[in-house]
Amino acid sequence: ETGVTQSPTHLIKTRGQQVTLRCSSQSGHNTVSWYQQALGQGPQFIFQYYREEENGRGNFPPRFSGLQFPNYSSELNVNALELDDSALYLCASSLEAGGNEQFFGPGTRLTVL
Amino acid sequence: GENVEQHPSTLSVQEGDSAVIKCTYSDSASNYFPWYKQELGKRPQLIIDIRSNVGEKKDQRIAVTLNKTAKHFSLHITETQPEDSAVYFCAVENQAGTALIFGKGTTLSVSS
């Protein structure tokens, strides 16, 4: 069984640029959730994808968007990067949406200069 | 929306002591309450979870208690060891079952 993986590990961008982060879900999982974790804070929910459809969204602006592919891997896209977007971006996969353990990936550390 | 408060923010104990971390939540319809441990530079890992039809759950040195009426739940770690040092997060699943809402975390330090 393969765990959740994310790429890249680290990324440095400048304000106004766009970024794409990738997540491969654990084998057999069809649900991927994305979280933003600022330094010293708990993860904040961005959105969830279930069977290729957005299944819920947190309080993030539309410049945060995502995709889920038929193999259930997922992308997080952020447009018009701002300094405050600097954070650890975590994805988590689960067997199904709702009431199931979420397995986290190692995260992508994004720095916006 | 759901709001989760976690206390204390930092906790220092001696090896062998017990540690207790408490969380309160706002949405009485929430049914799933996991606890995650995050070591420095690593991913959050589930250590124990509880559902609303259960009042207490134990796994070796770790236990979680849930009081649905009062809308609070607690993590109990007994016989703490230096390797228990980490940041612990409580979380509550929202009513729609689409998101985990996390507390701000508790930094636990266990000194030997």
Side-chain angles (χ1 to χ4, degrees), chain B residues 1 33 42 66 80 97 106:
Chain B
F33 309 88
K42 297 199 172 176
L66 172 65
T80 54
T106 297

Side-chain angles (χ1 to χ4, degrees), chain A residues 4 35 37 41-43 45 48 55 98-99 101-102 104-106, chain B residues 32 36 38 43-44 46 51 89 93 97-100 102-104:
Chain A
V4 181
Y35 295 84
Q37 187 176 24
Q41 301 293 318
F45 175 68
Q48 182 183 85
N55 191 42
E101 178 180 352
Q102 294 193 16
F104 282 84
Chain B
Y32 178 59
Y36 283 85
Q38 188 174 29
R43 71 188 79 191
L46 182 80
R51 298 177 196 278
F89 293 99
E93 188 175 71
T98 57
L100 291 179
F102 285 82
K104 290 188 186 298

Side-chain angles (χ1 to χ4, degrees), chain B residues 17-74:
Chain B
D17 287 350
S18 294
V20 181
I21 303 169
K22 298 180 180 178
C23 285
T24 60
Y25 60 99
S26 57
D27 188 349
S28 57
S30 298
N31 289 314
Y32 178 59
F33 309 88
W35 285 89
Y36 283 85
K37 175 183 180 182
Q38 188 174 29
E39 296 176 35
L40 196 62
K42 297 199 172 176
R43 71 188 79 191
Q45 291 204 293
L46 182 80
I47 54 171
I48 197 165
D49 57 10
I50 193 166
R51 298 177 196 278
S52 59
N53 58 346
V54 174
E56 182 175 358
K57 184 176 177 181
K58 275 182 126 173
D59 183 3
Q60 300 183 331
R61 297 186 296 109
I62 293 172
V64 55
T65 57
L66 172 65
N67 184 327
K68 277 225 80 178
T69 304
K71 290 187 282 186
H72 68 72
F73 58 114
S74 299

Side-chain angles (χ1 to χ4, degrees), chain A residues 4-58:
Chain A
V4 181
T5 60
Q6 291 185 243
S7 63
T9 308
H10 297 89
L11 206 49
I12 299 175
K13 292 284 188 178
T14 55
R15 207 166 32 171
Q17 285 189 310
Q18 178 265 343
V19 69
T20 297
L21 311 182
R22 295 179 174 82
C23 172
S24 289
S25 58
Q26 187 162 314
S27 177
H29 289 187
N30 60 24
T31 304
V32 172
S33 304
W34 285 92
Y35 295 84
Q36 180 195 66
Q37 187 176 24
L39 209 58
Q41 301 293 318
Q44 272 200 293
F45 175 68
I46 304 175
F47 43 57
Q48 182 183 85
Y49 278 84
Y50 170 65
R51 295 181 183 269
E52 302 180 60
E53 298 285 332
E54 187 178 290
N55 191 42
R57 189 178 181 92

